[in-house]
Each structure stands twice: as structure tokens, then as C-alpha cells.
Amino acid sequence: MTMPIRITITKTAGSVPREAGTQMLVWDDRTEGTIGGGRLEWEAMAEARRMLRDGRQQYTAQIPLGPTLGQCCGGSVSLQWEVAETLDQPAARPLWIYGAGHVGRALVQVMHPLPDFEITWVDTHADRFPKTEATTLVAADPARIVRHAPENADHLILTYSHEIDLALCHAVLSHDFHCAGLIGSATKWARFKARLAALGHAPAQISRIACPIGDPSLGKHPAAIALGVATAMITPDGRKTKDRTA
């Protein structure tokens, strides 16, 4: 079987469609991934297929998008073509999502395709999960699973039960974590803060849980909540989660 050509954006300047490190694979009859840019990607794919045809192993080029390709971006990209079997996989951030209801499903649909995240999706019953390629985990008591999460994990809590949500918040606060978000209204969070304090958690620790999550300006539709959360998590100062849903 013929090995594909991997195209990598190695350097960028000015306004460009994708960032350095973006990759795609090109075969004679298909592709995987995208370096974006319309004409840029089309020409890069054509070069890759010429390499496959000619048996060449490697090639590099620096491409001004405006003068060379007539694109209005105005920047330039440096590309590397090489024979390679797979895309380089960056270290993924562990993201644990609790709840396979409407919002949980919308979140996984948005987040799972992103290579930056390694999702573990937890719920109480297997039949609550849709067909998915995400890693799913069935737990009668989800709070008992938290201790198995990596210490640098992000946690998003959005189950069908306030009692399960509270138990998860308690478990997360009792375990090392990077950040956490809880779906809920301001009223729900006020009650949770009081109950978590009664369980022995200090105010500074409790404040590490963001509630509500998402972007209230987008509305309360599950897809809108998911978009707000995902946008916050992929921003450079990331992993902030705000949302106003009951």
C-alpha cells in the first residue's frame, strides 16, 4: 500500500487560514485533515499527488498567499511535504464530561472532533449514550469514578440529577483537577456552594468550579450551550466555562 504524503504548516506570517503545526494527509484518492485556505490547500494537495506519482519523498516551500495564489488573506505560509503514515498527534487535554443528556450530547458532538481534547464521557446507564466514537464509561455512581481521572483533567458536570451533580462537585473538589464547570442557574449554584461548604470545602476551592457555564448571550439551546463552552475552552486563556442554563 502506498504511503501518503503528509503536509505540515511549519511557519506562518500575517493573516493565514490555519496555524503552524496544522497537518493533513494526501493519498491518490482521498485526504485526511485540512490545512485550510481553499486555493492553498488545493495546490498543496496537487503537489502531494505529483510527489506520489513521481516517487519523491520530501519537499518544502514558502508561499505568499496573495501574490502567488491570489488569496486576500495577505499572509504567507511555509509548507513541508513528506512521506508519512500518520498525522502527528499533539498531547490531548483530558476532558471528563458527566451526563449524556441533551447538553452532554451537544458538547461531545462539538468537542470530540477537536484534536486538543481526550474525552471520557460518563453516565449511569449505557442506553443513555448515542452511537459515538468518544470513550464512554458507565457508572452507577459517577462520583466514585472521579478519582480515576487524571490530576490535570477538566470536568464538566451536567447530569439529569442535582444530587448526582452535587456528589460530583464534592468528588472533584476532593481530587486534584485543572478546572471544572457545572451546568445550572445562579440559584442552583448558591445552594450548591452552601452545601459544599458544609461538606468541608473552603470558599477558594469551591470558587474553582464555574457555574453557570457557557455564554448566556447565545441562549439556552443545548447546541448554543455547547458552542459557548467549547469556544471558552479553546481560547488562549482557555478552560473558562460560563453558561446560564437551569
Side-chain angles (χ1 to χ4, degrees), residues 116-143:
D116 295 341
F117 298 93
E118 181 180 1
I119 294 175
T120 300
W121 194 7
V122 182
D123 207 297
T124 55
H125 295 84
D127 58 8
R128 287 179 56 80
F129 293 110
K131 185 177 180 181
T132 179
E133 295 181 357
T135 299
T136 58
L137 188 59
V138 178
D141 183 359

Short mmCIF file of all heavy atoms in Angstrom, two decimals, residues 116-143:
data_model
loop_
_atom_site.label_atom_id
_atom_site.label_comp_id
_atom_site.label_asym_id
_atom_site.label_seq_id
_atom_site.Cartn_x
_atom_site.Cartn_y
_atom_site.Cartn_z
N ASP A 116 -7.42 18.56 20.34
CA ASP A 116 -6.81 19.01 21.58
C ASP A 116 -7.37 18.32 22.81
O ASP A 116 -6.83 18.49 23.91
CB ASP A 116 -7.00 20.52 21.75
CG ASP A 116 -6.27 21.32 20.70
OD1 ASP A 116 -5.34 20.76 20.08
OD2 ASP A 116 -6.62 22.49 20.49
N PHE A 117 -8.46 17.57 22.65
CA PHE A 117 -9.14 17.01 23.82
C PHE A 117 -9.26 15.49 23.73
O PHE A 117 -9.53 14.94 22.66
CB PHE A 117 -10.54 17.61 23.96
CG PHE A 117 -10.53 19.10 24.18
CD1 PHE A 117 -10.62 19.98 23.11
CD2 PHE A 117 -10.39 19.63 25.45
CE1 PHE A 117 -10.59 21.35 23.31
CE2 PHE A 117 -10.36 21.00 25.66
CZ PHE A 117 -10.46 21.86 24.58
N GLU A 118 -9.05 14.85 24.87
CA GLU A 118 -9.30 13.42 25.00
C GLU A 118 -10.47 13.26 25.96
O GLU A 118 -10.35 13.49 27.17
CB GLU A 118 -8.07 12.69 25.53
CG GLU A 118 -8.26 11.20 25.68
CD GLU A 118 -7.01 10.51 26.21
OE1 GLU A 118 -6.01 11.22 26.48
OE2 GLU A 118 -7.05 9.28 26.37
N ILE A 119 -11.63 12.89 25.42
CA ILE A 119 -12.87 12.92 26.19
C ILE A 119 -13.15 11.57 26.83
O ILE A 119 -13.04 10.52 26.19
CB ILE A 119 -14.05 13.33 25.29
CG1 ILE A 119 -13.88 14.79 24.84
CG2 ILE A 119 -15.38 13.16 26.02
CD1 ILE A 119 -14.92 15.25 23.86
N THR A 120 -13.53 11.61 28.10
CA THR A 120 -14.13 10.47 28.78
C THR A 120 -15.54 10.91 29.17
O THR A 120 -15.72 11.89 29.89
CB THR A 120 -13.34 10.08 30.04
OG1 THR A 120 -12.00 9.72 29.66
CG2 THR A 120 -13.99 8.90 30.74
N TRP A 121 -16.53 10.16 28.68
CA TRP A 121 -17.93 10.55 28.82
C TRP A 121 -18.60 9.58 29.77
O TRP A 121 -18.63 8.38 29.51
CB TRP A 121 -18.58 10.52 27.45
CG TRP A 121 -19.91 11.20 27.32
CD1 TRP A 121 -20.55 11.96 28.25
CD2 TRP A 121 -20.74 11.20 26.17
NE1 TRP A 121 -21.73 12.43 27.74
CE2 TRP A 121 -21.86 11.97 26.47
CE3 TRP A 121 -20.63 10.61 24.90
CZ2 TRP A 121 -22.91 12.16 25.55
CZ3 TRP A 121 -21.65 10.79 23.99
CH2 TRP A 121 -22.78 11.57 24.31
N VAL A 122 -19.14 10.09 30.87
CA VAL A 122 -19.65 9.26 31.95
C VAL A 122 -21.15 9.43 32.10
O VAL A 122 -21.67 10.55 32.06
CB VAL A 122 -18.95 9.62 33.29
CG1 VAL A 122 -19.43 8.72 34.42
CG2 VAL A 122 -17.44 9.58 33.15
N ASP A 123 -21.86 8.30 32.26
CA ASP A 123 -23.28 8.34 32.61
C ASP A 123 -23.64 7.08 33.37
O ASP A 123 -22.84 6.15 33.45
CB ASP A 123 -24.16 8.51 31.38
CG ASP A 123 -25.49 9.21 31.74
OD1 ASP A 123 -26.26 8.64 32.53
OD2 ASP A 123 -25.75 10.32 31.23
N THR A 124 -24.86 7.07 33.89
CA THR A 124 -25.28 5.97 34.76
C THR A 124 -25.78 4.75 34.01
O THR A 124 -25.84 3.66 34.58
CB THR A 124 -26.38 6.45 35.72
OG1 THR A 124 -27.46 7.01 34.96
CG2 THR A 124 -25.84 7.50 36.69
N HIS A 125 -26.18 4.91 32.76
CA HIS A 125 -26.74 3.79 32.00
C HIS A 125 -26.19 3.82 30.57
O HIS A 125 -26.12 4.88 29.94
CB HIS A 125 -28.26 3.85 31.96
CG HIS A 125 -28.90 3.68 33.30
ND1 HIS A 125 -29.07 4.73 34.18
CD2 HIS A 125 -29.40 2.57 33.93
CE1 HIS A 125 -29.65 4.28 35.29
NE2 HIS A 125 -29.86 2.98 35.16
N ALA A 126 -25.86 2.65 30.05
CA ALA A 126 -25.29 2.56 28.70
C ALA A 126 -26.26 3.04 27.64
O ALA A 126 -25.83 3.62 26.63
CB ALA A 126 -24.88 1.10 28.42
N ASP A 127 -27.56 2.83 27.85
CA ASP A 127 -28.53 3.21 26.81
C ASP A 127 -28.75 4.71 26.73
O ASP A 127 -29.47 5.18 25.85
CB ASP A 127 -29.86 2.47 26.99
CG ASP A 127 -30.51 2.74 28.35
OD1 ASP A 127 -30.01 3.60 29.11
OD2 ASP A 127 -31.52 2.08 28.65
N ARG A 128 -28.13 5.48 27.61
CA ARG A 128 -28.23 6.93 27.51
C ARG A 128 -27.24 7.50 26.50
O ARG A 128 -27.39 8.64 26.06
CB ARG A 128 -27.99 7.58 28.89
CG ARG A 128 -29.16 7.39 29.85
CD ARG A 128 -28.90 8.03 31.20
NE ARG A 128 -28.57 9.44 31.12
CZ ARG A 128 -29.47 10.41 30.98
NH1 ARG A 128 -30.77 10.12 30.90
NH2 ARG A 128 -29.08 11.67 30.92
N PHE A 129 -26.23 6.72 26.14
CA PHE A 129 -25.24 7.19 25.17
C PHE A 129 -25.75 6.96 23.75
O PHE A 129 -26.26 5.89 23.43
CB PHE A 129 -23.92 6.45 25.33
CG PHE A 129 -23.20 6.72 26.61
CD1 PHE A 129 -23.11 5.74 27.59
CD2 PHE A 129 -22.61 7.95 26.85
CE1 PHE A 129 -22.43 5.97 28.78
CE2 PHE A 129 -21.94 8.20 28.04
CZ PHE A 129 -21.85 7.21 29.01
N PRO A 130 -25.57 7.94 22.85
CA PRO A 130 -25.81 7.70 21.44
C PRO A 130 -24.63 6.93 20.85
O PRO A 130 -23.61 6.71 21.53
CB PRO A 130 -25.88 9.11 20.85
CG PRO A 130 -24.93 9.88 21.72
CD PRO A 130 -25.07 9.30 23.10
N LYS A 131 -24.75 6.53 19.62
CA LYS A 131 -23.61 5.92 18.94
C LYS A 131 -22.52 6.98 18.81
O LYS A 131 -22.75 8.08 18.31
CB LYS A 131 -24.01 5.41 17.56
CG LYS A 131 -22.91 4.66 16.84
CD LYS A 131 -23.40 4.12 15.50
CE LYS A 131 -22.29 3.36 14.78
NZ LYS A 131 -22.75 2.84 13.46
N THR A 132 -21.32 6.67 19.28
CA THR A 132 -20.25 7.67 19.32
C THR A 132 -18.90 7.00 19.28
O THR A 132 -18.75 5.83 19.67
CB THR A 132 -20.35 8.53 20.60
OG1 THR A 132 -19.28 9.48 20.64
CG2 THR A 132 -20.27 7.67 21.85
N GLU A 133 -17.90 7.73 18.81
CA GLU A 133 -16.52 7.25 18.85
C GLU A 133 -15.81 7.72 20.12
O GLU A 133 -14.67 7.33 20.37
CB GLU A 133 -15.76 7.75 17.62
CG GLU A 133 -16.29 7.17 16.30
CD GLU A 133 -15.51 7.66 15.11
OE1 GLU A 133 -14.60 8.49 15.29
OE2 GLU A 133 -15.81 7.23 13.99
N ALA A 134 -16.48 8.55 20.91
CA ALA A 134 -15.88 9.01 22.16
C ALA A 134 -15.80 7.85 23.15
O ALA A 134 -16.59 6.91 23.09
CB ALA A 134 -16.69 10.16 22.74
N THR A 135 -14.86 7.94 24.08
CA THR A 135 -14.75 6.94 25.13
C THR A 135 -15.88 7.13 26.13
O THR A 135 -16.03 8.21 26.71
CB THR A 135 -13.40 7.06 25.85
OG1 THR A 135 -12.35 6.84 24.92
CG2 THR A 135 -13.29 6.05 26.98
N THR A 136 -16.70 6.09 26.32
CA THR A 136 -17.82 6.17 27.25
C THR A 136 -17.56 5.28 28.45
O THR A 136 -16.88 4.26 28.36
CB THR A 136 -19.13 5.76 26.58
OG1 THR A 136 -19.01 4.42 26.07
CG2 THR A 136 -19.47 6.70 25.43
N LEU A 137 -18.12 5.68 29.58
CA LEU A 137 -17.91 4.96 30.82
C LEU A 137 -19.23 4.93 31.58
O LEU A 137 -19.81 5.98 31.87
CB LEU A 137 -16.84 5.66 31.65
CG LEU A 137 -16.33 4.98 32.91
CD1 LEU A 137 -15.74 3.61 32.59
CD2 LEU A 137 -15.28 5.84 33.58
N VAL A 138 -19.73 3.74 31.88
CA VAL A 138 -20.98 3.58 32.61
C VAL A 138 -20.65 3.41 34.09
O VAL A 138 -19.83 2.57 34.46
CB VAL A 138 -21.78 2.36 32.10
CG1 VAL A 138 -23.06 2.18 32.91
CG2 VAL A 138 -22.11 2.53 30.62
N ALA A 139 -21.29 4.21 34.94
CA ALA A 139 -21.04 4.14 36.37
C ALA A 139 -22.35 4.38 37.11
O ALA A 139 -22.99 5.42 36.93
CB ALA A 139 -20.01 5.20 36.78
N ALA A 140 -22.75 3.41 37.94
CA ALA A 140 -23.96 3.57 38.73
C ALA A 140 -23.84 4.78 39.66
O ALA A 140 -24.82 5.48 39.93
CB ALA A 140 -24.24 2.30 39.52
N ASP A 141 -22.63 5.03 40.13
CA ASP A 141 -22.34 6.17 41.00
C ASP A 141 -21.19 6.96 40.38
O ASP A 141 -20.02 6.70 40.68
CB ASP A 141 -21.98 5.68 42.40
CG ASP A 141 -21.73 6.83 43.38
OD1 ASP A 141 -21.83 8.00 42.96
OD2 ASP A 141 -21.43 6.54 44.56
N PRO A 142 -21.49 7.92 39.50
CA PRO A 142 -20.42 8.63 38.78
C PRO A 142 -19.39 9.29 39.68
O PRO A 142 -18.22 9.39 39.32
CB PRO A 142 -21.19 9.67 37.96
CG PRO A 142 -22.54 9.09 37.77
CD PRO A 142 -22.83 8.34 39.04
N ALA A 143 -19.79 9.71 40.87
CA ALA A 143 -18.85 10.40 41.76
C ALA A 143 -17.69 9.50 42.15
O ALA A 143 -16.58 9.97 42.40
CB ALA A 143 -19.58 10.90 43.00
#
